Amino acid sequence: MMIRKAAMDDKRVILTEVNEAFSAPNSMLDLFLESFHNGEDNITHLLDHLVIVAMDQKAFEKCKSVHHYCYLHEDVGSDLSSENVYMSKAYIDLVWTKVRLWQLILEQGYSFLFTDIDVMWFRDPFRHISVYADLTIATDRFFGNPEDHSNHPNTGIVYAKPTEKNIEVLKYWREARQRFPTTNEQTVYHEIKYELSSKFDLKIQYVSTEYWGNFCQLNKNFTKLATFHPCCLVGLEKKIAQIKIMTEEWKKYKSISLKS
C-alpha cells in the first residue's frame, strides 16, 4: 500500500494533487519538487514521504517520471486536467476532491500534511504545527493569535491528526457544500469554522504568514519562511513567473547566509 510505504515512522504523510496543466514541463510540479532541493536543513528527505495524487492520466505519467509515489485518482467525475478558471465549476470540483482525499487518509489511520502543488518549500513546515491542535491551517491574513477565527484561512496547507473527531469534521465540512453549492472548500470552511469549533470542540491552529507565507499578506523574511504560496494571484502563468522570481531571491539569500 503506497501510503504505508510513504509514511513516516509516526504515520505522517505529505500529500499534494496535480493535474495535466500543473504538471506540464517547467510548470508547477517541477518547481514544487525543485523547491525541496533548494531548501535548507536537507528537507529533500521529506520527498520520501510525499504522495502525489494525479487527477488525470497525463499528470500521472509525468509524476511517475519525476517521483516515486504517484497515485492516479480515477474517480473524479469532471475533466480536471486543464487550468480551470478560478471559481468555475471545474475549479470548484477540483478543490473539493482534496477534502474527500483527506477523509480517506484519516480513516486509514494516518496524519497528513496537505500542500497545494504551487506551494514552495524552503524549510520543514512541520516545525510550525502545535501538538495541541486537531487541525492546523495556513492563512491568507494572520492577525497575531493562532487560535483566533478572525484569521483568514487558506486551505493550501492543512495538517490533521487521524482522530474520529477530525473524520467527523471533514464529513461535516463536505456536507456543508450543499449549503454553499457554488463556492470552494476554503470559503465553505470560512463560513462554518465557528460551527466546527463549537459542535466538535475543535482545536484549530492558524499559522502565521511569517512562516507559511503568501502574496495576500506579503512577507519575504527568509530567515523565518518555511513555505510560500502564490495565492492572491490569478492565472497559472502569473503564478509561475512570481514563483521563479521568489526562487531566485531565496537562492540569493541562501548564498549570502552561507558566506556570513
Side-chain angles (χ1 to χ4, degrees):
M1 180 177 161
M2 186 178 298
I3 292 294
R4 184 170 65 247
K5 291 179 180 178
M8 302 175 194
D9 292 341
D10 57 1
K11 300 187 75 172
R12 289 180 296 163
V13 67
I14 303 167
L15 301 170
T16 193
E17 289 182 341
V18 67
N19 65 1
E20 179 184 346
F22 282 71
S23 63
N26 300 312
S27 189
M28 284 299 183
L29 178 57
D30 289 329
L31 290 169
F32 174 73
L33 296 175
E34 180 190 347
S35 73
F36 287 80
H37 295 282
N38 292 331
E40 276 191 349
D41 305 324
N42 192 31
I43 63 169
T44 51
H45 76 277
L46 294 174
L47 291 173
D48 295 332
H49 308 292
L50 169 69
V51 175
I52 300 175
V53 179
M55 308 307 291
D56 56 78
Q57 186 64 40
K58 287 188 177 180
F60 182 56
E61 295 300 325
K62 167 65 177 184
C63 179
K64 289 193 297 181
S65 72
V66 294
H67 190 62
H68 41 287
Y69 294 130
C70 302
Y71 175 78
L72 177 60
H73 197 320
E74 298 182 282
D75 185 28
V76 295
S78 303
D79 177 8
L80 306 181
S81 61
S82 61
E83 179 196 353
N84 296 302
V85 176
Y86 181 68
M87 294 308 295
S88 66
K89 182 182 183 303
Y91 171 87
I92 292 170
D93 287 344
L94 176 62
V95 296
W96 273 105
T97 62
K98 63 188 184 185
V99 185
R100 174 59 177 156
L101 172 65
W102 299 345
Q103 182 182 328
L104 291 172
I105 296 300
L106 296 188
E107 288 172 345
Q108 294 177 52
Y110 294 88
S111 302
F112 69 80
L113 177 62
F114 178 87
T115 170
D116 277 352
I117 197 69
D118 58 349
V119 175
M120 300 297 104
W121 287 44
F122 300 136
R123 297 182 178 90
D124 185 348
F126 284 104
R127 296 178 180 177
H128 303 292
I129 296 172
S130 298
V131 295
Y132 80 86
D134 299 303
L135 203 64
T136 300
I137 301 179
T139 54
D140 279 342
R141 299 187 184 278
F142 181 78
F143 301 115
N145 181 351
E147 299 178 44
D148 188 348
H149 286 306
S150 66
N151 294 307
H152 296 180
N154 185 296
T155 55
I157 311 180
V158 173
Y159 177 78
K161 301 172 182 176
T163 61
E164 286 300 320
K165 179 196 293 189
N166 275 341
I167 292 170
E168 291 304 311
V169 163
L170 293 180
K171 288 179 181 178
Y172 190 88
W173 188 348
R174 291 176 61 223
E175 290 169 0
R177 182 183 183 184
Q178 298 175 13
R179 288 188 269 156
F180 310 93
T182 60
T183 195
N184 60 7
E185 89 300 344
Q186 180 172 299
T187 302
V188 171
Y189 171 81
H190 182 67
E191 294 289 342
I192 67 170
K193 57 189 178 182
Y194 292 99
E195 296 174 38
L196 294 175
S197 181
S198 60
K199 183 178 179 65
F200 298 99
D201 188 30
L202 190 69
K203 304 297 187 295
I204 302 173
Q205 175 197 3
Y206 298 96
V207 179
S208 170
T209 53
E210 279 191 313
Y211 306 116
W212 295 1
N214 60 53
F215 281 112
C216 307
Q217 189 177 45
L218 184 59
N219 188 323
K220 288 189 178 182
N221 185 348
F222 286 124
T223 65
K224 294 184 176 181
L225 279 176
T227 63
F228 195 88
H229 189 192
C231 47
C232 292
L233 294 179
V234 177
L236 181 56
E237 288 187 8
K238 183 179 291 187
K239 287 189 174 188
I240 289 174
Q242 290 300 317
I243 284 174
K244 287 181 176 178
I245 292 171
M246 194 78 173
T247 298
E248 290 307 309
E249 291 176 347
W250 167 253
K251 288 179 180 178
K252 289 177 182 177
Y253 160 77
K254 274 190 68 181
S255 66
I256 292 171
S257 63
L258 287 172
K259 293 174 184 177
S260 60

